[in-house]
Amino acid sequence: MIDLLRRYPLPVIVLAQLFGTSLWFSINGVWLSLAGELGLTESDLGRLTLAVQAGFIAGTLTIAVTGLADRFGASRIFALSSLLGALVNGGFIFAAGAPPLDFLLRFATGLCLAGIYPLGMKMVIAWTPKYAGAALAWLVGMLTLGTALPHLMRGATLGMPWEWPLMAASCLAVAGGLLVFLLGDGPHLPRSSGRLPLSQGLAALRIPRFRAVAGGYFGHMWELYAFWTLTPLFIGRELQRMGQSDALIPWLSFAVIGIGAAGCVGGGRLSRTRGSEWVARRALMVSGAFCLVYPWLNGLSPALLIVLLIVWGIAVVADSPQFSALASATAPRESVGSSLAVMNAVGFGLTLPAIWLTSGLWGQLNVWVVLLLFPGPVLGLWALSRARPEIQAG
């Protein structure tokens, strides 16, 4: 069994990533039923989504400060994080609608995700270093599908208790952790010994090429998670205009978010010939154009706007694995894990005000809130342009 897993390490890692990251938006997928039963609002959704993001940031900073990502086996950290994440996600069932315990459990879920996503990136690099951009495209594609998976599970369990999809996500996380534990660590990255201070994780920021990549990633992150948080609200608005049932919201939300996996994989294929920077730049340009144009189209056919959301869902995340590939290629080899953890921490830190602003102002501004996301792609493109001749590698 173990030999079979190690013969195909990339499919194993990306499947485990899909299962583990289903915890990320697990409550977003059941939000309509949860809100209806407990009387929660869009502000509560924003609060609990922010809790996960804040936990993830705290977790990635902890990894960077302690050097855990470069001192211990990535597969063990991934497996332990998946198990603990499954437990706290399941615990939310008993704390839903009971602040601050519900917030703390979602924060703990974010902490555990910090041991899944960055460590998954390190394992991909360790097992398949030759085509990092294409390999990481599959990994982030599975993160995207994992984010969308709760919506699919909710659509498949309509009429059933909202607790079922949450428990399903926990079971998937346990299965993902087991797969990675059996696979083990890859052979192509050295394990560092001794404690790695935060300064070593920050050392990559002294490299101009890494700073340019990180700046592009930060602009991308300002837009990405806010868009995913708003997706059910966008879909609900269009279905209401069409006179359709809310039962379609989880299915269409899964389509809009999940299609991003195709964008990641397609971008990974292009990166082999065009380079990761080329793919990242074009994806930022397309998603930035949607941020600017979409509100002005709000009077068009609801069906057409849903199609545009699907196209936006492809572009909004296609650049993410390419930024990770560029960052891993330019970071100091002995601290790749810590460097990626620091970049992730700052990037996810930027998702907090973006989610807070857009979810908080949705009631007043409706679709016009996406104009607040436009500066992200613009600043990301500007950052990439600062070192463009140096970061063409794929």
Side-chain angles (χ1 to χ4, degrees):
M1 169 94 177
I2 294 177
D3 289 339
L4 179 63
L5 293 178
R6 291 180 178 175
R7 193 177 305 169
Y8 305 102
L10 183 58
V12 173
I13 297 168
V14 298
L15 185 63
Q17 183 86 340
L18 168 64
F19 289 170
T21 53
S22 67
L23 302 174
W24 210 309
F25 273 39
S26 58
I27 66 164
N28 298 63
V30 300
W31 186 253
L32 288 177
S33 298
L34 186 60
E37 184 173 320
L38 300 178
L40 303 177
T41 66
E42 283 82 4
S43 295
D44 293 311
L45 173 62
R47 174 178 62 88
L48 294 174
T49 303
L50 288 174
V52 179
Q53 304 300 92
F56 183 85
I57 295 162
T60 50
L61 285 175
T62 299
I63 288 172
V65 169
T66 61
L68 285 172
D70 297 299
R71 292 171 59 200
F72 299 101
S75 61
R76 295 185 179 183
I77 298 175
F78 189 112
L80 179 61
S81 299
S82 296
L83 176 60
L84 294 176
L87 292 174
V88 295
N89 183 71
F92 179 84
I93 292 172
F94 305 99
L101 185 56
D102 57 354
F103 182 93
L104 292 174
L105 286 172
R106 294 311 290 167
F107 180 87
T109 303
L111 283 175
C112 295
L113 285 163
I116 296 174
Y117 178 40
L119 275 296
M121 286 195 292
K122 182 176 180 180
M123 290 187 68
V124 163
I125 297 165
W127 280 101
T128 58
K130 189 174 181 181
Y131 296 109
L136 286 169
W138 280 98
L139 187 78
V140 180
M142 290 306 105
L143 165 67
T144 305
L145 274 181
T147 301
L149 196 58
H151 295 286
L152 177 64
M153 289 190 288
R154 184 55 191 161
T157 57
L158 282 174
M160 299 181 185
W162 57 263
E163 293 90 345
W164 287 32
L166 264 67
M167 291 306 300
S170 290
C171 291
L172 288 175
V174 172
L178 179 60
L179 283 173
V180 162
F181 182 78
L182 293 174
L183 176 66
D185 298 319
H188 297 294
L189 278 182
R191 181 184 299 180
S192 131
S193 59
R195 187 176 183 276
L196 291 174
L198 178 60
S199 59
Q200 190 157 342
L202 294 171
L205 293 174
R206 293 195 290 268
I207 302 171
R209 288 178 295 173
F210 187 91
R211 284 202 306 271
V213 172
Y217 174 77
F218 298 155
H220 150 78
M221 289 298 287
W222 175 265
E223 176 194 11
L224 177 62
Y225 276 82
F227 173 76
W228 281 348
T229 302
L230 292 173
T231 292
L233 302 179
F234 287 142
I235 295 296
R237 175 185 182 272
E238 304 313 326
L239 289 176
Q240 186 177 38
R241 292 175 63 210
M242 296 168 69
Q244 296 293 319
S245 166
D246 286 350
L248 291 173
I249 291 178
W251 293 104
L252 291 173
S253 296
F254 172 77
V256 170
I257 298 173
I259 196 67
C264 291
V265 174
R269 283 182 170 274
L270 281 173
S271 73
R272 293 193 177 195
T273 54
R274 296 284 189 166
S276 293
E277 188 270 342
W278 187 93
V279 174
R281 180 179 294 275
R282 268 69 186 176
L284 267 180
M285 290 172 64
V286 173
S287 60
F290 272 109
C291 289
L292 182 62
V293 171
Y294 188 84
W296 301 95
L297 305 177
N298 70 84
L300 295 181
S301 160
L304 176 59
L305 289 178
I306 290 173
V307 171
L308 292 178
L309 286 172
I310 290 173
V311 178
W312 193 353
I314 294 173
V316 75
V317 72
D319 46 356
S320 195
Q322 306 313 316
F323 284 125
S324 297
L326 288 165
S328 66
T330 56
R333 183 173 175 78
E334 68 278 5
S335 59
V336 169
S338 295
S339 298
L340 290 175
V342 168
M343 190 177 83
N344 286 160
V346 177
F348 277 86
L350 290 170
T351 70
L352 298 179
I355 292 172
W356 178 73
L357 281 171
T358 53
S359 61
L361 293 175
W362 172 264
Q364 291 77 36
L365 300 180
N366 207 268
V367 295
W368 293 95
V369 297
V370 299
L371 290 176
L372 299 174
L373 303 182
F374 181 62
V378 171
L379 294 176
L381 287 167
W382 175 81
L384 282 178
S385 71
R386 300 288 291 175
R388 186 175 181 184
E390 300 179 274
I391 57 172
Q392 296 292 337

